[in-house]
Amino acid sequence: MTDWADPDTLDLSDGETFDRLLDRADTREKGHFFEFFAEGDKLVHDPGLRLTHHGSEQWMGQTLNHDPAYWRADTAQERGFEERPVHPDYLLACVMGITVEDLSEKGGYFLGRDDVEFYQPATAGTPLSVTSTVVDTRTSSSRPKYGIVTWETEGRNRETGERLVSYQRTNMIPRREPAATDGGAVGEQDESDPTLPDTLVTPEGEHFEDFQRALDTAREENAAVAYRHERGRTMDDQLVAGLPLATLNTARQHHNRDEMADSPSGDIVAYGDVTRSIALAHARSDEATYREHRFADERFHDFVTLGDTVYGFTRVLDCDPDAGPSRAGAVTFEHVAFNQEQTPVYSGRRTALIQRDT
């Protein structure tokens, strides 16, 4: 009789033996299927990542976010920060990364995010406490193997309880059992051609007054304030796999090529927050950003994979001179990230405080 407790009974380095044994083994699953989620459920995520300057600087360097207020203490103080904060894109990515194991590790694609609001700057050393509440669950009308879940997520300082950021996010999530659907498409859109503005206006500078003047001109001339940014960033291993894993984002889509080989993308894909941050970095390089305020209607339109190059395009929607401190005014933008084939991959609306030219 074989003593299976004896470690020498089986030679697991023998390929044939290991293959036979592996076929009989159960897989201890990570993450949750669609059926796990019910409206109103609250999930407390663990572990809570501790924010660091190293992590923030790594994120900023790789995504081309070079705002000196997040690199140097003197500029941070000039900008009204009590101490040098971490970059808000890094904060948002860390808060969302922590949630992945509980919410979306099973796979499925990040469809969008809304009502992103920053309440106060976060500094290095801050330990995060993150919770999510299920807002809505529904069947995908086009993909019977998936459902669609929306969560509201909140990131706080674990030690003080102060709220740092909140948002709503929507993902496709695999179902344990396929559902019957009506075969309709998700998000069908009117294919009629939109009416384009007569001309496009580009701001002459990077300050609030430049955006306001451009918008005033556009309103007088049946034009729009819209322009593209010169920089592009090609997706490499560090961006696609390294940055997500540094924020504890364990979704297989970003680091498991074996699992993704038979997926619609055919390869690992970029974390949406990396794509987004690169597009925003291109935009920020052409503006005198003072503070980030809020984001809305963020959508992810197509896969971004290794070797793709991400570019940025911006439209200015509104200027509010009365919002913010005396040294800045609020500008609302619509940003679009697109790839080397000019295919949109991300879009979203952003309100930021832009420094005045005084």
Side-chain angles (χ1 to χ4, degrees):
M1 183 175 179
T2 302
D3 180 7
W4 298 111
D6 182 353
D8 297 324
T9 299
L10 286 177
D11 180 7
L12 297 185
S13 65
D14 177 74
E16 182 177 348
T17 299
F18 181 72
D19 190 54
R20 290 167 54 201
L21 188 64
L22 193 62
D23 286 341
R24 298 173 59 184
D26 290 333
T27 297
R28 299 186 65 177
E29 296 182 349
K30 305 295 290 186
H32 300 294
F33 287 100
F34 171 77
E35 291 85 349
F36 172 82
F37 300 103
E39 185 175 337
D41 286 353
K42 184 175 181 178
L43 297 93
V44 179
H45 307 292
D46 195 65
L49 190 67
R50 183 179 291 272
L51 302 174
T52 67
H53 281 313
H54 171 76
S56 179
E57 290 165 359
Q58 179 188 37
W59 184 279
M60 290 188 292
Q62 290 295 323
T63 60
L64 303 178
N65 279 283
H66 297 162
D67 187 330
Y70 302 99
W71 294 92
R72 300 200 312 262
D74 59 336
T75 307
Q77 291 177 354
E78 291 171 4
R79 198 79 63 79
F81 295 110
E82 292 183 3
E83 58 181 300
R84 179 163 68 104
V86 300
H87 196 279
D89 288 2
Y90 166 69
L91 167 64
L92 184 61
C94 287
V95 168
M96 185 163 150
I98 292 167
T99 72
V100 166
E101 182 173 350
D102 295 324
L103 304 186
S104 55
E105 182 163 339
K106 279 296 182 193
Y109 295 101
F110 185 7
L111 298 179
R113 186 169 47 203
D114 204 2
D115 296 329
V116 182
E117 187 162 359
F118 296 97
Y119 299 96
Q120 56 187 316
T123 56
T126 299
L128 294 177
S129 173
V130 182
T131 59
S132 294
T133 301
V134 180
V135 174
D136 181 62
T137 64
R138 61 190 187 276
T139 297
S140 169
S141 60
S142 62
R143 296 176 183 264
K145 293 183 179 180
Y146 291 84
I148 299 173
V149 185
T150 298
W151 305 275
E152 183 169 7
T153 296
E154 185 178 76
R156 292 179 178 267
N157 182 322
R158 182 181 293 273
E159 293 177 347
T160 66
E162 294 174 308
R163 187 161 57 165
L164 302 174
V165 65
S166 64
Y167 59 85
Q168 284 196 4
R169 137 163 109 112
T170 301
N171 267 68
M172 296 190 75
I173 301 295
R175 303 181 68 104
R176 191 176 289 277
E177 297 293 337
T181 70
D182 60 12
V186 175
E188 289 187 356
Q189 298 184 14
D190 184 0
E191 295 183 0
S192 60
D193 291 334
T195 301
L196 297 177
D198 293 340
T199 58
L200 299 181
V201 177
T202 303
E204 294 183 356
E206 62 182 6
H207 293 93
F208 175 80
E209 294 88 347
D210 298 304
F211 292 103
Q212 191 170 45
R213 281 192 293 267
L215 199 58
D216 289 342
T217 299
R219 287 168 176 162
E220 295 172 358
E221 300 179 358
N222 190 31
V225 183
Y227 46 96
R228 63 184 295 172
H229 308 283
E230 183 175 10
R231 284 177 176 160
R233 177 72 165 97
T234 298
M235 291 293 183
D236 55 24
D237 288 330
Q238 174 66 14
L239 289 172
V240 175
L243 289 188
L245 291 173
T247 64
L248 305 188
N249 184 333
T250 53
R252 67 190 71 181
Q253 297 99 300
H254 311 312
H255 60 86
N256 189 330
R257 302 191 82 169
D258 178 45
E259 286 284 341
M260 295 300 292
D262 294 328
S263 71
S265 63
D267 200 352
I268 56 176
V269 298
Y271 180 15
D273 270 337
V274 173
T275 300
R276 166 192 184 273
S277 191
I278 291 171
L280 297 180
H282 296 334
R284 290 166 178 146
S285 71
D286 290 323
E287 65 187 46
T289 315
Y290 181 78
R291 295 276 180 97
E292 296 296 335
H293 181 51
R294 63 179 297 114
F295 294 81
D297 197 26
E298 294 192 306
R299 299 290 180 264
F300 297 87
H301 305 287
D302 208 342
F303 305 121
V304 176
T305 61
L306 282 166
D308 283 345
T309 301
V310 173
Y311 296 94
F313 178 89
T314 292
R315 178 168 62 143
V316 179
L317 302 178
D318 187 46
C319 290
D320 184 353
D322 298 321
S326 59
R327 67 187 73 179
V331 180
T332 299
F333 303 94
E334 181 177 16
H335 299 297
V336 178
F338 61 96
N339 64 18
Q340 65 279 2
E341 297 175 353
Q342 297 193 175
T343 300
V345 295
Y346 159 86
S347 64
R349 296 193 175 191
R350 162 180 169 250
T351 300
L353 299 180
I354 304 300
Q355 298 177 66
R356 295 181 184 275
D357 190 19
T358 54

